[in-house]
Amino acid sequence: MKCVLNALIIVEGENDKSYLKSFLDCDIFVTHGNDINKIDFLYLTEVSKVRKILLLLDPDDVGKKLSLLIKGNVPNCEDVMLYYPENNKKHGVFECPKEIIIKALAPYFEEARESPSISMDELYKYLPYKSSITTDYNIRVKNNRNILNKLCILKVSESDLKLRYGNK
């Protein structure tokens, strides 16, 4: 059974995300190394208003620099420190034993996952406003499934979209 987190975890790469998803039920934001821009910071700032953000970054120079950059631009972020076994040659999230990650994240586990705030069927009514939605909510991705996921992370509901874009 997967451990449940209602926080948003920020990682550096897709391998980190895939690895964490194998034993965690949570939302994950991937920075793709240092590929994080103003729109991402605006989005993450809005997320920080509705849920906890946990930084699970590699303990190398890039990860430390990225942590400082994110914490300097996004309020209410917490670093989650991973303590690797001495015999571990590599020190990335992907290479960290899952037991160590679970122990580090244990204070944030919850009993159940929050229900999605909006369904794909509800979002479809507002897809004529797709460009406005991605701009208004600072969503950099453009495909419908990713937009839905980002809106759910922000806890945007159909009634929020109805208020903003009209009765469709």
Side-chain angles (χ1 to χ4, degrees):
M1 188 155 155
K2 293 182 177 185
C3 299
V4 175
L5 282 161
N6 287 312
L8 176 67
I9 297 178
I10 297 178
V11 297
E12 292 176 58
E14 291 294 335
N15 287 340
D16 298 332
K17 177 181 178 177
S18 297
Y19 177 55
L20 293 175
K21 285 288 198 177
S22 72
F23 59 92
L24 297 176
D25 182 4
C26 63
D27 293 310
I28 299 175
F29 182 93
V30 180
T31 67
H32 300 285
N34 286 325
D35 184 27
I36 189 164
N37 64 29
K38 182 179 178 180
I39 293 171
D40 293 329
F41 286 127
L42 292 170
Y43 173 76
L44 292 171
T45 298
E46 290 304 309
V47 171
S48 74
K49 295 175 184 176
V50 295
R51 63 175 71 227
K52 182 172 285 304
I53 297 179
L54 303 173
L55 304 176
L56 195 60
L57 305 169
D58 297 349
D60 57 12
D61 290 340
V62 173
K64 290 174 187 173
K65 184 177 178 182
L66 191 54
S67 174
L68 289 172
L69 182 64
I70 294 170
K71 289 192 301 188
N73 286 282
V74 180
N76 305 318
C77 294
E78 287 185 40
D79 272 314
V80 176
M81 302 306 295
L82 299 176
Y83 297 96
Y84 296 82
E86 287 184 26
N87 61 350
N88 240 36
K89 299 267 190 256
K90 296 186 177 185
H91 290 95
V93 171
F94 182 68
E95 292 90 4
C96 187
K98 75 178 187 178
E99 297 77 22
I100 291 173
I101 295 173
I102 289 171
K103 185 176 178 180
L105 292 172
Y108 307 102
F109 290 151
E110 300 190 29
E111 292 295 316
R113 194 89 147 94
E114 293 175 346
S115 298
S117 57
I118 186 170
S119 69
M120 186 57 84
D121 288 340
E122 293 168 331
L123 177 61
Y124 274 132
K125 298 177 207 174
Y126 298 92
L127 287 181
Y129 304 101
K130 184 177 187 172
S131 178
S132 295
I133 290 170
T134 57
T135 300
D136 294 344
Y137 290 99
N138 300 300
I139 297 172
R140 190 160 50 137
V141 295
K142 301 295 182 202
N143 79 49
N144 298 343
R145 174 64 54 197
N146 287 337
I147 291 169
L148 176 68
N149 290 339
K150 299 267 185 180
L151 291 173
C152 286
I153 290 169
L154 284 169
K155 300 183 181 184
V156 172
S157 67
E158 181 183 13
S159 59
D160 295 327
L161 294 178
K162 189 183 291 185
L163 280 172
R164 191 170 264 197
Y165 305 107
N167 213 4
K168 299 292 164 199

